[in-house]
Amino acid sequence: MNRITQKLQEDKKILSIYFSAGFPNLNDTVQIIQDLEKNGVDLIEIGLPFSDPLADGPTIQASSTQALHNGMTTQILFDQLKNIRESVKIPLIIMGYFNPMLQYGVEAFCKKCAEIGIDGLIIPDLPVDVYAEEYKAIFEKYGLINVFLITPQTSGERIRFIDSVSNGFIYMVSSASVTGSQAGFGNTQETYFERIADMNLKNPQIVGFGISNKETFNQATKYAKGAIIGSAFIKHLSESGSGKIGEFVGEIR
């Protein structure tokens, strides 16, 4: 069974952390992953830096740009992660844009992910229709879960379609804005979370965008299985380096 599927079956709220591979320093990637697991994080999203990150706010964009300046590439990330399963057991997802994967070769990319123990991918700019028609069979061949995003503007019909082609969790974007641009959740988001929960989808939902502390984590997980923290963690890395990860996670849980 895929590690993501196993983790989602646990009777707990999932804390997922996102960071940009190769940030703050090129070779920090593995140590950050190990420290996150050691401090109780349930799932990690490893950002594959890209020069034109459409959904990312300024904090993640800056970390991605720094990682690229540091020399991060798709191949270097794969090289860094080649022995990751010797020390890390929790689910690992690569989150990135489709262009670098297309350049690498979609099947070659998926094959490499499977070899090193990556459990899934999040590709914000890969339309679910294109995935279902052209790539679903490749992902399934290599045992990879593809995670799709929904927003408050996504129609019920499309959410049902996304749910039908998904086999892990649905990434529930909390608002139509970019990452890191909101400080909390109001009635609009609460209503949205409740509406999706009432749809009784077969895949659990994990909320992203706008989670930065214990309060917003608890708000987000009131109706959902878990929540993702990205910009706030990257800010912590920027300010404190990679040596105080336990302090950050300890303030969430």
Side-chain angles (χ1 to χ4, degrees):
M1 187 188 291
N2 187 289
R3 292 180 195 88
I4 296 170
T5 309
Q6 287 180 304
K7 181 59 68 174
L8 291 169
Q9 290 176 353
E10 294 181 12
D11 185 22
K12 64 186 298 191
K13 296 297 186 180
I14 301 297
L15 172 59
S16 178
I17 298 285
Y18 168 94
F19 75 99
S20 299
F23 175 86
N25 303 297
L26 180 62
N27 294 314
D28 285 344
T29 310
V30 170
Q31 188 65 56
I32 289 172
I33 293 170
Q34 291 170 337
D35 288 351
L36 285 170
E37 180 181 51
K38 185 173 69 178
N39 286 285
V41 169
D42 299 297
L43 191 154
I44 298 172
E45 296 170 19
I46 306 160
L48 178 59
F50 183 53
S51 56
D52 191 22
L54 302 174
D56 296 325
T59 301
I60 293 178
Q61 279 193 28
S63 70
S64 186
T65 300
Q66 182 61 52
L68 292 171
H69 286 164
N70 290 344
M72 180 52 73
T73 65
T74 302
Q75 189 57 56
I76 286 175
L77 177 58
F78 283 148
D79 290 344
Q80 288 180 347
L81 297 177
K82 65 182 178 183
N83 298 316
I84 194 68
R85 286 304 174 191
E86 293 176 7
S87 59
V88 173
K89 306 303 179 197
I90 61 173
L92 299 176
I93 295 175
I94 289 181
M95 183 170 186
Y97 293 87
F98 195 48
N99 188 275
M101 301 176 194
L102 204 55
Q103 288 184 349
Y104 196 90
V106 176
E107 181 150 10
F109 191 94
C110 290
K111 184 172 185 284
K112 196 68 180 174
C113 285
E115 286 173 0
I116 62 181
I118 297 298
D119 303 291
L121 298 174
I122 302 174
I123 313 167
D125 59 340
L126 175 61
V128 62
D129 323 67
V130 176
Y131 167 78
E133 290 172 18
E134 298 183 30
Y135 301 112
K136 189 171 188 282
I138 296 174
F139 276 63
E140 290 177 349
K141 177 181 176 181
Y142 293 103
L144 294 169
I145 284 175
N146 196 23
V147 177
F148 292 98
L149 284 70
I150 63 171
T151 74
Q153 285 69 43
T154 307
S155 70
E157 182 184 9
R158 191 153 185 87
I159 291 170
R160 295 280 182 203
F161 179 60
I162 286 171
D163 191 43
S164 73
V165 300
S166 299
N167 60 343
F169 66 89
I170 292 172
Y171 189 129
M172 189 160 65
V173 177
S174 66
S175 73
S177 58
V178 295
T179 57
S181 58
Q182 61 191 62
F185 300 121
N187 291 337
T188 302
Q189 274 100 9
E190 288 260 352
T191 303
Y192 162 57
F193 296 160
E194 194 168 2
R195 173 169 64 86
I196 302 302
D198 288 344
M199 290 181 75
N200 293 313
L201 302 174
K202 72 180 177 76
N203 292 279
Q205 301 88 56
I206 296 184
V207 180
F209 292 43
I211 297 100
S212 59
N213 52 33
K214 189 180 186 71
E215 181 187 1
T216 46
F217 178 80
N218 289 338
Q219 275 186 294
T221 56
K222 182 178 177 183
Y223 298 103
K225 177 64 177 175
I228 301 154
I229 298 177
S231 296
F233 179 64
I234 288 170
K235 283 178 186 170
H236 177 81
L237 289 177
S238 300
E239 294 165 5
S240 305
S242 56
K244 296 185 178 179
I245 286 173
E247 292 179 15
F248 180 85
V249 177
E251 289 175 2
I252 308 297
R253 283 212 154 131

